[in-house]
């Protein structure tokens, strides 16, 4: 039963460090860190998709999204646990 369980996700990407880092906290579990080495050509746009009917590629989900925030300001990339 997942009713009332909150999940917190902080996802950041650095073109200079060539990596993306996610911190995920699910319910009362400990925070987990996931790192991906990435390289991309220069970004011209960003697309954020969370489930739905985008050409039937992503399944929908029951739930509520709250406090979504996007920033490209300096300092938003976090890759060490002390800053999180």
């Amino acid at each position: 039963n997942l009713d009332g369980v909150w999940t917190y996700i902080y996802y950041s990407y650095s073109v200079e460090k060539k990596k993306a880092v996610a911190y995920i906290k699910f319910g009362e579990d400990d925070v987990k860190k996931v790192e991906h080495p990435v390289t991309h050509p220069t970004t011209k746009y960003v697309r954020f998709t969370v489930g739905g009917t985008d050409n039937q590629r992503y399944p929908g989900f029951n739930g509520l999204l709250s406090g979504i925030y996007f920033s490209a300001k300096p300092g938003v990339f976090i890759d060490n646990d002390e800053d999180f």
Side-chain angles (χ1 to χ4, degrees):
N1 184 3
L2 298 177
D3 287 340
V5 175
W6 287 87
T7 301
Y8 176 81
I9 301 171
Y10 187 96
Y11 183 83
S12 58
Y13 166 75
S14 170
V15 82
E16 291 84 19
K17 293 189 178 185
K18 295 183 169 81
K19 67 179 173 177
V21 179
Y23 286 93
I24 303 165
K25 177 149 178 49
F26 180 75
E28 298 299 320
D29 294 349
D30 291 336
V31 174
K32 294 181 177 48
K33 179 180 178 182
V34 179
E35 288 191 33
H36 296 280
V38 291
T39 55
H40 294 288
T42 302
T43 302
K44 295 180 182 171
Y45 66 91
V46 175
R47 182 177 181 172
F48 181 68
T49 304
V50 181
T53 58
D54 185 17
N55 295 322
Q56 302 298 322
R57 293 184 295 173
Y58 308 103
F61 67 95
N62 294 325
L64 175 69
L65 300 175
S66 176
I68 297 174
Y69 179 78
F70 173 83
S71 177
K73 295 179 181 179
V76 295
F77 178 73
I78 295 177
D79 67 342
N80 64 65
D81 299 347
E82 293 78 32
D83 289 341
F84 180 73

